[in-house]
Amino acid sequence: MDGAELTGKKVLITGASGFTGRHAVTYFQGAGADVVAVVRRPDVYSFGKNVDVYVCDLNNKEQVRELIQEIEPDYVLHLAGKNSVPDSWADPLLVLETNVMAVLYLLDALRICPKARTVIVGSRLKYTPEPGRIPQPPHPYSLSKALEEMVSLSWKSLFGQQIMLAEPGNLIGAGPSTGICSLLARHVVACEQTGKTEAFRLSGRDNTRDFLDVRDAVRAYATLLVHGTSGTVYPVVSGVERSLGEIADLLMSMTEAKVPIRWDGTSSGPDGAGKQEEMSELRKLGWQPQITFEASLRDILSDVRTQQGRTTG
Amino acid sequence: MDGAELTGKKVLITGASGFTGRHAVTYFQGAGADVVAVVRRPDVYSFGKNVDVYVCDLNNKEQVRELIQEIEPDYVLHLAGKNSVPDSWADPLLVLETNVMAVLYLLDALRICPKARTVIVGSRLKYTPEPGRIPQPPHPYSLSKALEEMVSLSWKSLFGQQIMLAEPGNLIGAGPSTGICSLLARHVVACEQTGKTEAFRLSGRDNTRDFLDVRDAVRAYATLLVHGTSGTVYPVVSGVERSLGEIADLLMSMTEAKVPIRWDGTSSGPDGAGKQEEMSELRKLGWQPQITFEASLRDILSDVRTQQGRTTG
């Protein structure tokens, strides 16, 4: 997909001021789309001049209805949600209201736009029920994402809407990410700028995860918006497992500073996010990752250096 | 169970002014429980003098929290909910808010009462997802009851609460039921009192369903509150399939009036609600139906005659 299909299309992006949202706004604007960035609070992030920012509390049914009636979007990328496992223990109701009811409010409001195509961004941490057994989600967050998927796909069945589910693995990139690559990059830059010597604690060097650049993920969402099959769940992963040791070594190779790390040796298997075959459906639609892992890490470092420079300078 | 276990216990009943709720209040009061009847609107039904009526909008998280903090119940029988399939098409969001979020508000509030035991009354119309296939609930109501079960059992797993699920079949009895037995009884009484000659339309004489007297169902709920195993789904059925022809014949035998019925001959299989083996778990706890089908029909007729007499007299 070269993005030409998006020119002049009205693309509504929820959670626009979040980590992925900022990259999504940039991408869709670049593709010539007419972007509406939906945020809960207008003061979190400054978008460029040409971005149409719309303030809406997605937990408020009437506000969501007004939003859709006013915008009548061609495409909807739903990124908003509560994504913290610890927060889901602290306030389980808020997580379920936000990740389940807000999605329902959005999809229900979209019934007035039968041609609109929507991508709901789920999570690979969602709980998968086992038939005949009592549900045992490990935390309220995993339950909320299971219900989000179920209501989204049910709304497609009940009302014939165009709804695709995207399930990203570990997204990395510049911006407010709390993923391991960003945390480690911040440690590197702290060592560079302040000579910090406290060690960063990591588990085992051999522990692996699938990482995907957030910009590749955004292109995957765009591909799904235009070409995805309604009612389908698409894993959005790189298909390559990287070890924590590899990440640390790569970041070390990008700095002159001494960066202390303490490995506690805890071994965990791969998180299973990145199986090559899981990418096949997205590849069939013409998508593939374009940004190398090294380039992603370099961009994260560069972004952190700029941000930290601003804070400390 | 003889009900002695309930003496002096604080039993909170939601949906208390509904069809089952009224019978539940009567039963638990008779068993010496300290009943709190929770209703959304106080003007729907007049409870007896000794009933403690509490007005609460269960869709309001704060009100639910206050209710539980104030009452600190030993037992909770959750009967409230939206139970109409057509209404679920008219306002799907309301059905999901009421049948899913209200249950969550209740169960979450009950975390301050770790010893409380709760029965959630589900529905045999709930949608059962098939693994690996996109969810296709036949209507929003069936989706709402599937989610209700999932969140209830998940809350048990996540927070260690004592939560039983009851799944009644077709409950019959005196009061504001919209089931086939009550509708037909109202037709019989209309023929008795006004000489109405318009025919009541029914499908096929051979179509069968499982019916259970609502008072037997209430005793089943009481049994589950005291003796049920947390995290278990209990069918609440009679285990006997009755044909529409049998119901019509029985009601005819209880009246002198000429009662015209038009059979359209549509054949449907049994609704599958009443399999003997499904009662086994409840029977193991000591429960069994006590009221004969004939007695149920007679009580319904008698109640309708009194009500209609009041209206027309």
Side-chain angles (χ1 to χ4, degrees):
Chain A
M1 198 177 110
D2 59 5
E5 299 95 329
L6 294 166
T7 310
K9 298 289 184 183
K10 228 178 246 179
V11 180
L12 190 147
I13 301 173
T14 72
S17 59
F19 167 56
T20 305
R22 299 178 191 184
H23 290 280
V25 170
T26 303
Y27 173 82
F28 284 96
Q29 275 226 311
D34 183 2
V35 174
V36 178
V38 180
V39 298
R40 192 160 54 92
R41 285 171 30 206
D43 54 345
V44 171
Y45 181 69
S46 293
F47 293 96
K49 268 184 195 166
N50 300 321
V51 181
D52 189 1
V53 178
Y54 196 112
V55 179
C56 178
D57 175 3
L58 297 176
N59 284 0
N60 182 311
K61 183 161 55 171
E62 282 69 36
Q63 284 189 24
V64 174
R65 204 167 282 158
E66 280 166 24
L67 165 71
I68 298 301
Q69 278 169 351
E70 192 175 325
I71 307 297
E72 291 188 1
D74 299 299
Y75 296 116
V76 179
L77 177 57
H78 181 57
L79 294 166
K82 298 280 175 198
N83 290 310
S84 155
V85 170
D87 288 358
S88 84
W89 282 113
D91 192 344
L93 292 184
L94 182 63
V95 170
L96 283 150
E97 286 167 336
T98 307
N99 292 357
V100 185
M101 292 314 294
V103 171
L104 269 176
Y105 293 159
L106 185 66
L107 293 177
D108 201 64
L110 281 165
R111 285 162 61 194
I112 65 161
C113 308
K115 291 189 176 171
R117 291 171 57 82
T118 302
V119 165
I120 304 290
V121 179
S123 166
R124 300 180 66 82
L125 291 184
K126 77 163 183 226
Y127 173 67
T128 303
E130 294 172 55
R133 300 189 64 169
I134 173 172
Q136 296 197 297
H139 37 71
Y141 175 69
S142 67
L143 172 65
S144 78
K145 296 307 265 190
L147 298 182
E148 180 186 65
E149 179 182 304
M150 188 158 165
V151 299
S152 300
L153 297 176
S154 293
W155 238 244
K156 178 252 182 283
S157 297
L158 288 166
F159 300 106
Q161 288 168 286
Q162 302 295 308
I163 302 168
M164 284 65 65
L165 263 285
E167 281 192 353
N170 303 293
L171 302 188
I172 60 174
S177 161
T178 53
I180 187 67
C181 295
S182 287
L183 295 180
L184 200 45
R186 280 171 212 147
H187 175 61
V188 168
V189 175
C191 293
E192 287 174 349
Q193 297 185 343
T194 67
K196 191 182 178 187
T197 52
E198 209 180 314
F200 191 90
R201 299 171 75 157
L202 281 170
S203 54
R205 282 189 69 88
D206 296 337
N207 293 342
T208 64
R209 305 216 185 127
D210 180 286
F211 294 100
L212 179 69
D213 194 283
V214 63
R215 293 162 291 183
D216 279 329
V218 165
R219 283 192 309 103
Y221 302 156
T223 302
L224 295 179
L225 280 172
V226 178
H227 298 295
T229 301
S230 183
T232 307
V233 181
Y234 293 90
V236 179
V237 293
S238 72
V240 183
E241 294 275 338
R242 304 277 176 176
S243 72
L244 292 186
E246 184 180 359
I247 301 171
D249 292 346
L250 277 167
L251 283 171
M252 303 298 196
S253 76
M254 297 173 188
T255 183
E256 301 293 322
K258 185 172 147 41
V259 180
I261 288 178
R262 199 163 88 209
W263 300 97
D264 73 9
T266 310
S267 184
S268 64
D271 68 354
K275 295 186 193 118
Q276 284 289 341
E277 62 268 29
E278 295 195 306
M279 307 162 59
S280 62
E281 289 305 311
L282 250 172
R283 278 187 188 272
K284 279 183 202 159
L285 302 179
W287 175 85
Q288 59 178 353
Q290 291 182 346
I291 302 167
T292 66
F293 187 58
E294 292 73 11
S296 299
L297 288 184
R298 209 171 285 280
D299 289 350
I300 295 170
L301 256 188
S302 158
D303 177 61
V304 176
R305 283 179 182 134
T306 312
Q307 299 300 325
Q308 306 274 63
R310 260 186 221 148
T311 317
T312 57
Chain B
M1 198 177 111
D2 58 6
E5 299 94 330
L6 295 166
T7 311
K9 298 289 186 185
K10 228 178 244 177
V11 180
L12 190 147
I13 300 172
T14 72
S17 58
F19 167 55
T20 305
R22 299 177 191 184
H23 290 280
V25 170
T26 303
Y27 173 82
F28 284 95
Q29 276 226 311
D34 183 2
V35 175
V36 178
V38 180
V39 299
R40 193 160 54 93
R41 284 169 33 204
D43 54 344
V44 171
Y45 182 68
S46 294
F47 293 95
K49 267 183 196 166
N50 301 320
V51 181
D52 189 2
V53 178
Y54 197 112
V55 179
C56 178
D57 175 2
L58 297 176
N59 283 359
N60 182 312
K61 183 161 55 171
E62 281 70 35
Q63 283 188 25
V64 174
R65 204 166 282 159
E66 280 165 25
L67 165 70
I68 298 301
Q69 278 169 351
E70 193 174 325
I71 307 299
E72 292 189 358
D74 299 300
Y75 296 117
V76 179
L77 176 57
H78 181 56
L79 294 166
K82 298 280 175 199
N83 290 309
S84 154
V85 170
D87 289 357
S88 84
W89 282 113
D91 192 345
L93 292 184
L94 183 63
V95 170
L96 283 149
E97 286 166 335
T98 307
N99 293 356
V100 185
M101 291 314 294
V103 171
L104 269 176
Y105 294 159
L106 184 65
L107 293 178
D108 201 64
L110 281 164
R111 286 163 59 195
I112 65 162
C113 308
K115 291 188 176 172
R117 292 172 55 82
T118 302
V119 165
I120 304 290
V121 179
S123 166
R124 300 180 65 83
L125 291 183
K126 76 162 185 229
Y127 172 66
T128 303
E130 294 174 55
R133 299 189 63 169
I134 174 173
Q136 295 197 297
H139 37 70
Y141 175 69
S142 66
L143 172 65
S144 78
K145 296 307 265 190
L147 298 183
E148 180 186 64
E149 178 183 304
M150 189 160 165
V151 300
S152 300
L153 296 177
S154 294
W155 237 244
K156 178 253 181 281
S157 297
L158 288 167
F159 300 106
Q161 287 167 287
Q162 302 295 308
I163 302 167
M164 285 65 66
L165 263 286
E167 281 191 354
N170 302 293
L171 302 189
I172 59 174
S177 160
T178 53
I180 187 66
C181 294
S182 287
L183 295 180
L184 200 44
R186 280 172 211 145
H187 175 62
V188 168
V189 175
C191 293
E192 286 174 348
Q193 296 184 345
T194 66
K196 192 181 176 188
T197 52
E198 209 181 312
F200 191 90
R201 301 172 74 160
L202 281 170
S203 53
R205 283 189 67 87
D206 296 335
N207 293 341
T208 64
R209 305 219 185 127
D210 180 286
F211 294 101
L212 179 69
D213 193 283
V214 64
R215 293 161 292 183
D216 279 328
V218 166
R219 282 191 312 102
Y221 302 156
T223 302
L224 294 179
L225 281 173
V226 178
H227 299 296
T229 301
S230 182
T232 308
V233 182
Y234 292 90
V236 179
V237 294
S238 73
V240 183
E241 294 274 337
R242 305 277 177 177
S243 73
L244 292 185
E246 184 180 358
I247 302 171
D249 292 347
L250 277 167
L251 283 170
M252 302 298 195
S253 74
M254 297 173 189
T255 183
E256 302 291 322
K258 184 171 147 39
V259 180
I261 289 178
R262 198 163 89 210
W263 299 98
D264 73 8
T266 309
S267 184
S268 63
D271 68 355
K275 294 184 194 123
Q276 284 289 344
E277 62 269 27
E278 295 195 309
M279 306 162 61
S280 60
E281 289 304 312
L282 250 171
R283 279 187 188 271
K284 279 184 203 159
L285 301 179
W287 174 87
Q288 60 179 354
Q290 291 182 347
I291 302 166
T292 66
F293 188 57
E294 292 73 10
S296 299
L297 287 184
R298 210 171 286 278
D299 290 350
I300 294 170
L301 256 188
S302 159
D303 177 62
V304 176
R305 283 180 182 131
T306 311
Q307 298 300 324
Q308 305 274 64
R310 261 186 218 146
T311 317
T312 56

